[in-house]
Amino acid sequence: MAYWLLKSEPSSYSWAQMVKDGRTFWSGVRNFQASSNMKAMKKGDRAFFYHSGDDKAVVGTVEIAKEYYPDHTDETGKFGMVDVKAGAPLKTPVTLAAIKAESKLKHLLLVKQSRLSVVPIDEPSWKLICAMGGIKP
């Protein structure tokens, strides 16, 4: 199993909407590195749901429900998407500031390439962020 982080602007698609929908497609990624990360996702992988914009915090988890396939919102035909289903909310959102303050997480692409919308998370970091958020990994 691999771990990931998916960013979404709450005004576009929030954690509350993810929970309400239960399952959705993750479309609109137009960066080749982020798209490459999505291509590597496998069904059953888990990801953090991260509110970008003003919030800048991990707020929940999702599971990859369908592997990479063409994104119907991409007119160029170059990009794809995955389907995700809602997992657990974090009891306490884990802010970007808290992640940056934790020396064991300074290596994450979330910190080093903060504008990238889909990034891998290694297993020790997954477990640490889950603990910081008050949930079991």
Side-chain angles (χ1 to χ4, degrees):
M1 177 186 311
Y3 302 96
W4 308 92
L5 181 139
L6 301 170
K7 291 183 181 180
S8 182
E9 181 72 42
S11 61
S12 296
Y13 194 79
S14 68
W15 171 249
Q17 188 65 49
M18 176 77 246
V19 171
K20 181 180 175 187
D21 293 345
R23 180 179 170 141
T24 192
F25 52 85
W26 202 267
S27 65
V29 173
R30 300 295 183 264
N31 172 286
F32 287 104
Q33 186 176 0
S35 182
S36 180
N37 288 336
M38 288 175 61
K39 287 178 184 175
M41 292 177 174
K42 301 294 180 208
K43 187 175 181 180
D45 283 357
R46 296 180 64 202
F48 287 123
F49 191 108
Y50 180 92
H51 275 173
S52 59
D54 291 338
D55 293 356
K56 291 187 179 68
V58 176
V59 294
T61 65
V62 295
E63 182 178 319
I64 307 306
K66 183 177 179 182
E67 295 177 14
Y68 194 84
Y69 63 100
D71 182 342
H72 66 274
T73 69
D74 175 27
E75 294 177 6
T76 70
K78 294 178 183 176
F79 296 97
M81 59 188 177
V82 296
D83 286 1
V84 296
K85 63 182 178 180
L90 271 63
K91 291 180 182 173
T92 304
V94 179
T95 65
L96 179 59
I99 291 169
K100 285 181 173 182
E102 173 53 65
S103 63
K104 294 177 183 173
L105 300 174
K106 290 186 186 264
H107 68 283
L108 292 177
L109 285 180
L110 174 65
V111 174
K112 295 181 177 263
Q113 288 183 278
S114 61
R115 296 188 51 84
L116 196 58
S117 63
V118 179
V119 296
I121 301 288
D122 59 275
E123 187 172 5
S125 298
W126 174 268
K127 290 178 178 179
L128 179 53
I129 293 170
C130 285
M132 291 168 72
I135 64 169
K136 292 183 180 184

